[in-house]
Amino acid sequence: MIAYIVRRLLHGVGIVLGVLGLLFILFFTVTSPEGMATKALGEKAPPEAIAQWVTNHGYDRPLFWNPESWSDTLLVDHYYSMLSFDFGRSDADDRPIMDRIKQGAKPSLYLTVPLFFIGLFLSLSGAMLVAFFRGTFIDKAGLVVSVLAMSIPTMVYIIAGQYILGKVLLWFPISGFDRDPTMVWKFLMLPVIVGMIESLGGGVRFYRTVFLEESNRDYVRTARAKGCGELQLMTHHVLGNAMIPLLTQVVVAIPHLFLGALLTESFFGIPGLGAAMVEAIHGNDFSTLRALVFIGCLLFIVAQIVTDIAYTVVDPRVRLK
Amino acid sequence: MLIQAHVISNYVVAALVVGVLLLGIGILRSRLWRRSLGTLVKRRPIALGIVFLYILIALLDSVSWVGGTHMGSRGSEGADLVSLQEPQSVIDRFFPRDFQEEGYAHPFSSTHFYTDKALRYPGRHILGTDINGRDVFHLSLSGARIALLVGGLTSLIVIPIALFFGICAGYFGGRVDDAVFYILSTLASIPNILLLIVLVQAMGKGTLQVCIALGITSWVGFCRLARGESLKLRELDFVRSARALGASETRIIFRHILPNLMHLVLITFVLLFSGLVLSEATLSFLGIGIDESWGQMVDLARLELARDPVVYWNFFGAFAALFGMILPVNMLGDTLRDILDPRTLSEDS
Amino acid sequence: MISWRTFLGLAGACAALLACSNDPYPARDAQQKILYSSFSSAPRTLDPAVAYSVVDHMVTGNVYDTLLEYHFLKRPYQLIPGLAMEVPEAEILEDGRARYRFSLREEILFQEDPCFTHFHPGTKTRRVTAHDMVFSLQRIADPKVNSPISSTLIRILGFAEFGKRLQQMRDESEAFAALPVHGQYEEAGGIEGVRASGDLDLEIVLDSAYPQLLYWFAMPFTTPLPWEAVVYYDGNEGRNAFEEHPVGTGPFILSTYDKYARIVFDRNPNWYGALHPEWQAPGATYPSEGEAGDGEAGLLDPEYVGRPLPLIDRIEFRMEKEDIPSFAKFLQGYYDASGVIQESFNMVVQEDNLSDEMVELGVDLVKSVSPDIYYLGFNMDDPVVGHKAGERGRKLRQAMSLMVDTEGYTERFANKRGIPAQSLLPPGLFGFDESYRNPYRQVDLAHAKRLMEEAGYPGGIDPNTGRAIRLTFDTPDPSAQGRARYQFFVDSWRKLGVDVEIAATNYNQFQEKVGNGAYQLFMWGWVADYPDPENFLFLLHGPNGRTASGGPNTANFNHARYSELFLQMKDMPNSPERALLIDEMLKILEVERPWIELFHRENYALYHHWLANVKPVGLSFSTLKYRDLDAPLRARWREDHNHPIRWPLFLVVLLFAAMMVRGVQTYLEERQ
């Protein structure tokens, strides 16, 4: 058991190093620091200021190999700063990236946590409803609606939500955010509702398959043959046993919880990490982008390891590979 | 003399069509496949028809040549001199050469939307015109080619690579498996959309770049699947007996493993396809999509929807075309999965 | 039971929906004199020596005062004294050097801030002296600060030397580098041409007369800075960084700075205007005169004339990244003023006036022309379109210039908001001639075709290849919107047989192309830093070439006579001789066509009737201290116009219930 956990952890470390390598190639070998400097300082900046910026940010150092000092290269620096969580300063505004992450995490969680749980709850209830009425018109209608819903781009949901619920019906503020906890729920209503409707289609379809598969298993049939009520069957047997695919789904969602929803945050003006990422993309702020991507990956890897270990604890037959 | 790009693309299209036909004939020779496809045709005739229509449009739009005539052209002054020397596709030729107005026009309208100036082709723009006066119906049709390119080209990149690595890892196991598994886990650890964005940022904008980026992000899932399946197949009796009879590894892979993965390939292809086209739409919002794709049209049109009075036809054209393709493809994918493989894939989608 | 739980949840959600309103602000603020406005991207820095973008100035302009200011109402722009007692005049010294003397007002205080308590226990603020100005200018010269205007002020005596000396001393001695910055500046000997000759007197000596210098003293770059703030706010030990925590003398104090969501200012009780209304200082009093038409526009209301500023108590800026939701909030009364977004233009403006719908809402409109120029440029280093192509290239540029229909462009993409540019000088600047019509900026297809033939490209065919001449249009804007815009130009050149390809890359790649000179055609804009023609004409001065020197001349235009005229014109005071020189320069550009001038932006600003004293400014300076608003009126209006429509909610609930009932029915039937 211990050996397995150690091996799993080592594997995780290997993957983190690999991800970092990939990020280094993507972020350092293909970008020009002068371009970043011009974006950061503005079109009117004179060339001396640009050169100074590049020096101040250390982008004039060698990439892989420095004959004077092996550790003074961007590669070593990249690994060191990422692994020590010392992300340095943003290329766009020179502020510590860690501050931005700390500032942005809370709004992102405000948005994604309720969105995730309400969405999960509704998807599960919807799927259960559809599975419960399987074969009837509710099932068919539910399936058609979910495929329909899945075929619509996110942007369309957001625009329609803002227009109908915000502009025409005047239910909620169309956009905005407030860090004051007594005000924040007001701003979250609209994005949460929109995000929920968006995720419902895929969710219902996925969990329906899970439930149907589960309810065809022998133990369910036995229970049914013993005269167990259909409702009780659903809530007690099927739901309980569908937990493993459900848990996997939750794990996959964790980095997204933290990083927020890229489009939703941008459109609703929520100052979270998703919006920070879109800003970094548009503003050519590679150092922030790199840090955010790395954190997303790291969370994902950690979550995976935790679930893998949890699985083995629960069921020793399940092993890596 | 330098061979021009459109000539090459014509040959490529021809080769592709011939290839697909040959593949189709090959598949139809197997009774199992014939029966499955028969079921598919019976269960989803409309969806299948629509998808074929899209493919046809995309193919017609990919065949082009310089010179020749357009339907319904009328010579007028101030015409576009450059287009005379540009290759025009079959779809282009269904429309007049100068089928362009001076700004927005409502569907079937005979005047411009914001001014009362008469249109050059009154009543002929069945989906109206966009901000630069181009016919939306024409643009929507041309989008099919891009969508097929995004879905098709990327799948062409993804499937062979994923199959190769998946089978190698699954069949040979050991070090090979470790290496492939490592690459897979590394790539899978970067959330998809992030990797996509970073890749396009790094490689730059362009059709091929976007396809490669989409390819890199989407081969992981299928590779895992192929690996798992070949791992299972390796232990099955018929593979074991083939090995016992002294068949070479290549032969086993090509004769026994690969054919038994073909249904997965087909299902993956269909399901991947719609996902890729939708991903391109998200990239378009971030300004890194492919020019003239439906995603870009939707992105442009989202602001027009907020216009007052509303300019809806651009959005409608692009959205209807996109939706009209994704919906039948998704339905076909679902049905195919039911028919070919009711169990393996259900947990993975 | 699931269904019960579901129903309970639904009921709860409904209750929450019923209780919700769309008011984004706390109810307690409704009756306050708070101005609500929006911003679309976070400020980069609030360090006044560095801040250069419009959003940066939106913040620094309220917090930092300048020695000189622009008159709120008068156009052409006129300088008035701010913290200085009067606008100085240049004194020419014997050796050709020029001296400017500023005398500061007495008894100006910095805003209250803990940094003063830290260095001078028991005090919360400090008096402003000329030494704070000296310190501020030294910071601009400091290479570590990396100010974008350090190369502009290089004509101040000893300015560059001071920067170099500072750098050198820092490199040589660690002890020196460890000193607080104001100590370092002192030790390095200061800037020769910047001296405080008394407690309140500042002397600036330049190598020659430089009339535009005064404009730089009307921008937040040159605000007096307390060294205490720069030293104290170093970002260490939980202290903020100076670029996030401004300490100034301005009419407002930055009280909340959550730069990705919300920026709030409150009145500064220590502002000189608030402490000494009896001074009637020009920068702290509502003006009594303006340009023609201001009286009719209600900008010289006797209620306001001569009143001490500021008139509002608080300013709230909220982040709005997308302008559609932001505009919708304006229409709901939650923002006091707004631009007109393109999408809603036809709803808001009809035949150049406000639509009836807007008039009914009580919205007002002001228009103004911004001192800027948008243009298409040719890279003059390019062998096909540039200098090397000689007469052929010139004819090609002329022909292409004749095809670009600016009015068509602005009509399509800017609702006709834009004055077609005849030359690079915008209206309101010295040298602008209203009657001038550039012969190459009128659309003329026949003439253009003739020029193409003369250039050796009949029908656009390049005799070398037998195909249409092919050019590339480079842009850093890969969005669909950008593409649609550039397509307009491409379409018009196609009529000439010129095949232009749009190469949209990301920003980095574009900069790289520009840096390497590997570009042909581009679109760019320039907004004036100050209202002087020199600020536009220098954009085509040969030695400012972008590829060669990284300068602002992105077209790499290099014309001996033009450059000669520019050097003559640049430091001259406005006079008939200067006008003649400018005229000749414009004539050169008319024929040479390194640019195809497009338009000068026309701004349409909307504001609700409860807001008073709105006059748009093209230059980047803040006028919020002049604004006033009627909060009770606003609160009433908001209430009247924001009644939520609730019936669809009940409809949805009803539909859901009906479906459930039907489903249960079917289910029961099937079981039997």
Side-chain angles (χ1 to χ4, degrees), chain B residues 27-39:
Chain B
I27 284 175
L28 286 181
R29 279 170 62 190
S30 136
R31 202 164 53 84
L32 194 72
W33 280 92
R34 212 158 47 220
R35 208 175 49 208
S36 307
L37 287 182
T39 325

Side-chain angles (χ1 to χ4, degrees), chain C residues 255-524:
Chain C
S255 46
T256 302
Y257 188 56
D258 180 359
K259 69 176 176 179
Y260 299 102
R262 183 165 169 244
I263 300 174
V264 185
F265 300 91
D266 279 305
R267 227 177 226 279
N268 177 5
N270 276 355
W271 191 45
Y272 69 96
L275 290 177
H276 303 285
E278 72 282 0
W279 287 354
Q280 291 274 308
T285 316
Y286 196 90
S288 56
E289 46 192 275
E291 70 172 326
D294 280 347
E296 291 82 69
L299 287 165
L300 288 170
D301 195 325
E303 190 197 333
Y304 292 114
V305 169
R307 251 179 65 183
L309 304 173
L311 301 166
I312 44 174
D313 298 328
R314 197 195 293 173
I315 311 167
E316 282 239 16
F317 282 101
R318 302 274 176 144
M319 167 81 98
E320 293 286 353
K321 279 201 191 143
E322 298 282 328
D323 49 10
I324 293 167
S326 146
F327 190 68
K329 274 166 135 179
F330 166 74
L331 290 182
Q332 292 172 349
Y334 295 121
Y335 288 124
D336 297 318
S338 164
V340 184
I341 60 171
Q342 203 200 341
E343 286 75 27
S344 299
F345 189 85
N346 289 290
M347 183 210 28
V348 175
V349 181
Q350 272 155 10
E351 283 148 21
D352 251 17
N353 272 310
L354 275 179
S355 66
D356 296 342
E357 196 183 335
M358 287 298 115
V359 173
E360 217 165 279
L361 284 177
V363 170
D364 285 317
L365 168 75
V366 274
K367 302 181 204 172
S368 64
V369 179
S370 139
D372 60 15
I373 171 90
Y374 282 76
Y375 61 92
L376 298 168
F378 294 96
N379 176 13
M380 299 299 283
D381 285 347
D382 184 81
V384 181
V385 298
H387 290 300
K388 281 178 216 144
E391 188 62 23
R392 265 188 103 182
R394 187 176 307 126
K395 291 246 157 81
L396 176 63
R397 295 194 298 273
Q398 288 171 346
M400 288 174 73
S401 171
L402 279 167
M403 292 307 295
V404 176
D405 174 13
T406 310
E407 268 177 69
Y409 178 84
T410 52
E411 186 181 334
R412 244 180 245 185
F413 299 101
N415 318 103
K416 282 194 176 169
R417 278 174 293 175
I419 296 178
Q422 303 299 324
S423 77
L424 77 177
L425 292 183
L429 251 67
F430 182 79
F432 172 80
D433 177 4
E434 195 152 356
S435 62
Y436 171 66
R437 287 286 165 277
N438 188 330
Y440 292 103
R441 290 301 299 115
Q442 324 300 327
V443 182
D444 188 343
L445 179 64
H447 187 192
K449 281 189 166 162
R450 220 164 44 238
L451 282 169
M452 286 298 281
E453 261 165 51
E454 287 169 27
Y457 303 109
I461 306 290
D462 185 347
N464 292 331
T465 59
R467 298 177 48 80
I469 171 170
R470 215 172 149 75
L471 302 176
T472 315
F473 190 112
D474 291 291
T475 152
D477 175 10
S479 70
Q481 286 77 14
R483 197 182 158 75
R485 276 199 297 276
Y486 306 130
Q487 191 66 42
F488 175 85
F489 303 119
V490 171
D491 283 348
S492 46
W493 289 322
R494 283 170 79 99
K495 291 183 189 147
L496 212 54
V498 179
D499 184 9
V500 179
E501 185 195 15
I502 302 171
T505 49
N506 67 29
Y507 192 85
N508 266 347
Q509 289 159 332
F510 178 74
Q511 287 300 335
E512 219 162 291
K513 277 196 270 183
V514 172
N516 298 334
Y519 59 110
Q520 269 180 320
L521 268 163
F522 58 93
M523 184 174 173
W524 216 295

Side-chain angles (χ1 to χ4, degrees), chain A residues 40 44 93 171 175 179 186, chain C residues 258-259 320 329 527 645:
Chain A
K44 292 183 174 183
D93 63 1
W171 288 0
S175 64
R179 285 184 202 271
K186 213 180 219 181
Chain C
D258 180 359
K259 69 176 176 179
E320 293 286 353
K329 274 166 135 179
V527 185
I645 303 168

Side-chain angles (χ1 to χ4, degrees), chain A residues 66-106:
Chain A
N66 187 349
E68 284 157 36
S69 146
W70 67 271
S71 62
D72 190 24
T73 63
L74 287 173
L75 181 69
V76 174
D77 206 53
H78 166 75
Y79 271 91
Y80 179 77
S81 61
M82 289 289 127
L83 290 175
S84 61
F85 292 99
D86 175 14
F87 297 127
R89 286 168 180 271
S90 148
D91 287 336
D93 63 1
D94 262 346
R95 304 292 312 139
I97 294 172
M98 208 56 201
D99 284 6
R100 180 80 174 102
I101 292 172
K102 279 181 199 153
Q103 262 178 16
K106 215 164 143 195

